């Protein structure tokens, strides 16, 4: 198949360009998947009650190793802003002894023994965003050494109380170099809330960068709430992500923030739309609600959706069409010659028919002549083939806030 050779040559070139620029720390060839402590007391908005003591973390590690999450690829456990206790006489950062009496190395060993990876949160300033816990300033190098000595695999750095006189890029580069000096491959998660267009410099500095303010477990927030430090809903993030795909790829990913499945603020359709987009964007799938209970979180277990997120090409999807009735089309090329496509209805009330024609899809084999513009369509939520479609596909009566998430494979070319 000649066209697929051309297609692959193009995507391989695109990938080489990105990889030349990517941070060379040996991790994040694929988007990370895992769990964070951030929002574990379900139904407390906006997520102020973390699970955060060693018994709770151990119980989540036990659950993830046994309940299928680890097998699906969810393998990071990351403590958000909750664990810090201060500094010792030598200025080494230490955990809150009442929550972590056995120490961090002990907890790392426990988590590693279950085949999972472990990380913590820190901050660019002297104190973190909540609770005045220790941030890393001015001890970036020392903290990096301590984190490496605990055997950590992941460090997230937040943006509260930032020291003045430095750009975000300078501060995060400094921590990135400090982590590099430890010699330990550690995933570095940049979290400056999208303020200084981190997608334009993040690839050289970290393995992911937050693209905007916190993700709240709601569908939509009015624009005045979207300043960094507040939060935004899923629909706001979807709009924000359009156009950012070209900045990310193997080694560094656009981070639209945590997933919070199980929140009743989001309808079933909305949660499915959310997970579909996070998968299409090749974004980190870090779940921040209580994953010891999965009965209300079934959609994060969808293997076909996860396969799109973890596709080895690592090319994030982007918007390819907006229609005047609101319908949108997003697409992402996959390593096996198929495309993942989302037909999305952002309208507040109205259902719409959403069409996609194959020649709207960038890279679609040009040699497919009229009369042979056929493709096999599979629905990733129904887990069913939808037959062979000539010219394009029509998502019929897609409900407000809902998606059709499909893969499309050129057929009989
Ligand atoms: C540190 O940076 C060098 C140069 O980019 C790279 O070759 C090396 O793998 C990095 N090591 C770690 C642990 O990140
Ligand atoms: C470290 O963890 C193990 C269990 O993983 C436990 O048996 C042991 O007592 C802990 N050590 C300390 C010093 O608490
Ligand atoms: C960056 O790191 C170096 C040590 O590697 C340190 O001397 C310097 O002060 C740091 N600069 C900033 C802006 O953090
Ligand atoms: C390609 O991979 C995707 C994601 O796993 C899958 O949905 C699609 O059916 C695959 N296509 C082929 C032709 O196997
Ligand atoms: C979709 O609409 C937005 C806002 O009107 C516009 O900026 C963007 O270029 C459009 N994108 C596509 C792919 O049509």
């Amino acid at each position: 198949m000649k066209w697929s050779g051309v297609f692959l040559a193009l995507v391989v070139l695109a990938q080489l360009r990105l990889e030349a620029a990517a941070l060379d720390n040996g991790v994040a060839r694929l988007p990370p998947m895992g769990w964070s402590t951030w929002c574990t007391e379900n139904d407390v908005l906006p997520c102020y009650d973390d699970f955060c003591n060693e018994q709770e973390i151990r119980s989540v590690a036990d659950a993830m190793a046994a309940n299928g999450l680890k097998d699906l690829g969810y393998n990071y456990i990351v403590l958000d802003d909750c664990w810090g206790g201060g500094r010792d006489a030598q200025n080494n950062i230490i955990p809150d002894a009442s929550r972590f009496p056995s120490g961090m190395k002990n907890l790392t060993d426990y988590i590693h023994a279950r085949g999972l990876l472990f990380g913590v949160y820190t901050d660019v300033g002297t104190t973190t965003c909540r609770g005045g816990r220790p941030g890393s300033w001015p001890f970036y190098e020392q903290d990096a050494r301590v984190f490496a000595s605990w055997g950590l695999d992941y460090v997230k750095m937040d943006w509260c109380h930032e020291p003045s006189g430095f750009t975000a890029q300078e501060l995060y580069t400094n921590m990135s170099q400090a982590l590099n000096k430890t010699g330990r491959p550690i995933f570095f998660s940049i979290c400056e809330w999208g303020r200084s267009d981190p997608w334009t410099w993040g690839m050289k500095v970290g393995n992911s960068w937050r693209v905007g303010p916190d993700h709240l477990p709601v569908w939509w927030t009015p624009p005045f709430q979207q300043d960094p430090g507040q939060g935004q809903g899923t629909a706001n993030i979807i709009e924000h992500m359009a156009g950012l795909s070209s900045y990310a790829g193997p080694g560094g990913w656009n981070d639209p923030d945590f997933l919070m499945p199980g929140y009743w603020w989001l309808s079933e359709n909305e949660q499915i739309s959310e997970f579909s987009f996070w998968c299409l964007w090749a974004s980190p799938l870090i779940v921040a609600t209580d994953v010891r209970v999965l009965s209300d979180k079934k959609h994060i277990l969808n293997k076909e959706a996860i396969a799109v997120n973890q596709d080895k090409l690592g090319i994030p999807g982007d918007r390819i069409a907006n229609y005047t009735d609101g319908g949108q089309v997003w697409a992402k090329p996959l390593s096996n010659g198929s495309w993942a496509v989302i037909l999305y209805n952002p309208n507040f009330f109205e259902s719409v028919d959403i069409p996609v024609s194959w020649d709207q899809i960038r890279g679609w084999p040009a040699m497919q002549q009229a009369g042979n513009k056929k493709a096999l369509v599979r629905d990733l939520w129904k887990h069913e083939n939808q037959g062979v479609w000539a010219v394009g596909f029509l998502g019929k009566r897609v409900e407000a806030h809902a998606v059709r998430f499909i893969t499309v494979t050129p057929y009989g070319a």
Side-chain angles (χ1 to χ4, degrees):
M1 282 207 255
K2 213 158 67 190
W3 62 266
S4 68
V6 172
F7 167 75
L8 277 178
L10 283 174
V11 296
V12 165
L13 272 179
Q15 218 180 356
L16 284 175
R17 185 182 60 77
L18 274 173
E19 286 189 17
L23 181 64
D24 180 20
N25 66 349
V27 301
R29 309 319 295 163
L30 297 174
M33 298 172 64
W35 176 73
S36 160
T37 58
W38 174 243
C39 204
T40 22
E41 295 291 343
N42 271 351
D43 292 356
V44 178
L45 194 72
C47 308
Y48 276 162
D49 289 293
D50 297 4
F51 280 1
C52 202
N53 63 52
E54 62 185 35
Q55 290 85 353
E56 280 170 336
I57 303 304
R58 284 176 185 169
S59 75
V60 174
D62 290 345
M64 286 172 70
N67 69 8
L69 282 179
K70 184 180 98 171
D71 296 335
L72 286 167
Y74 293 94
N75 60 357
Y76 282 101
I77 288 187
V78 184
L79 304 185
D80 212 84
D81 185 0
C82 70
W83 63 272
R87 292 186 180 274
D88 69 12
Q90 286 75 46
N91 285 324
N92 292 314
I93 195 163
I94 50 174
D96 179 340
S98 66
R99 293 163 180 265
F100 299 95
S102 313
M104 294 308 247
K105 180 69 173 72
N106 189 289
L107 190 53
T108 307
D109 292 344
Y110 189 92
I111 289 168
H112 284 175
R114 277 142 195 83
L116 300 165
L117 302 167
F118 187 38
V120 299
Y121 162 110
T122 187
D123 187 90
V124 294
T126 50
T127 48
T128 63
C129 295
R130 293 192 307 181
R133 300 179 180 103
S136 283
W137 184 262
F139 301 108
Y140 288 12
E141 288 212 8
Q142 190 172 348
D143 285 2
R145 280 198 302 275
V146 169
F147 294 155
S149 77
W150 291 343
L152 296 187
D153 309 292
Y154 188 110
V155 169
K156 167 183 172 179
M157 198 175 212
D158 210 349
W159 184 247
C160 284
H161 319 295
E162 74 278 14
S164 60
F166 305 103
T167 64
Q169 185 174 353
E170 283 164 354
L171 293 172
Y172 285 98
T173 298
N174 207 273
M175 188 56 166
S176 176
Q177 288 167 351
L179 290 168
N180 179 279
K181 275 192 205 160
T182 69
R184 186 174 172 83
I186 296 176
F187 188 107
F188 185 38
S189 159
I190 296 168
C191 179
E192 54 78 272
W193 317 327
R195 287 198 149 178
S196 63
D197 297 352
W199 46 88
T200 61
W201 51 266
M203 190 58 130
K204 294 192 292 280
V205 177
N207 300 110
S208 66
W209 45 89
R210 279 274 301 279
V211 298
D214 288 7
H215 177 209
L216 301 178
V218 297
W219 182 248
W220 185 81
T221 52
F224 67 81
Q225 283 204 329
Q226 289 165 36
D227 292 314
Q230 299 202 38
Q232 56 182 349
T234 302
N236 308 93
I237 292 178
I238 294 171
E239 283 306 308
H240 186 67
M241 285 291 282
L244 297 188
S245 63
S246 64
Y247 298 101
W253 309 101
N254 287 313
D255 179 7
D257 201 13
F258 299 131
L259 294 160
M260 284 153 288
Y263 258 95
W264 58 264
W265 276 288
L266 287 182
S267 71
E268 183 74 7
N269 271 347
E270 290 166 347
Q271 297 200 29
I272 285 173
S273 297
E274 177 179 292
F275 194 67
S276 303
F277 272 109
W278 262 243
C279 287
L280 189 96
W281 295 327
S283 282
L285 300 179
I286 309 287
V287 177
T289 44
D290 183 359
V291 292
R292 297 175 305 184
V293 178
L294 293 177
S295 52
D296 57 352
K297 306 180 183 68
K298 290 221 164 65
H299 60 277
I300 68 162
L301 313 178
N302 181 342
K303 281 187 186 163
E304 293 195 71
I306 292 171
V308 170
N309 178 268
Q310 296 287 302
D311 184 78
K312 64 178 190 282
L313 268 189
I315 297 182
D318 214 324
R319 187 160 62 193
I320 60 169
N322 299 331
Y323 302 118
T324 49
D325 63 3
Q328 299 186 7
V329 184
W330 294 62
K332 165 187 171 44
L334 299 171
S335 55
N336 60 8
S338 300
W339 277 262
V341 174
I342 289 179
L343 308 175
Y344 167 52
N345 178 2
N347 293 334
F348 275 95
F349 302 109
E350 227 182 308
S351 298
V352 283
D353 290 343
I354 307 179
V356 56
S357 66
W358 308 145
D359 52 20
Q360 282 174 300
I361 296 178
R362 206 147 39 116
W364 193 262
M367 56 74 69
Q368 270 205 315
Q369 301 302 331
N372 188 27
K373 285 187 172 179
K374 289 185 184 153
L376 189 67
V377 174
R378 180 171 178 80
D379 189 300
L380 302 188
W381 289 106
K382 294 179 181 166
H383 305 294
E384 269 172 8
N385 290 336
Q386 305 294 297
V388 173
W389 289 67
V391 185
F393 179 76
L394 182 66
K396 284 215 172 122
R397 311 309 296 157
V398 179
E399 289 171 21
H401 303 185
V403 297
R404 291 290 298 273
F405 191 17
I406 57 177
T407 52
V408 177
T409 310
Y411 179 82

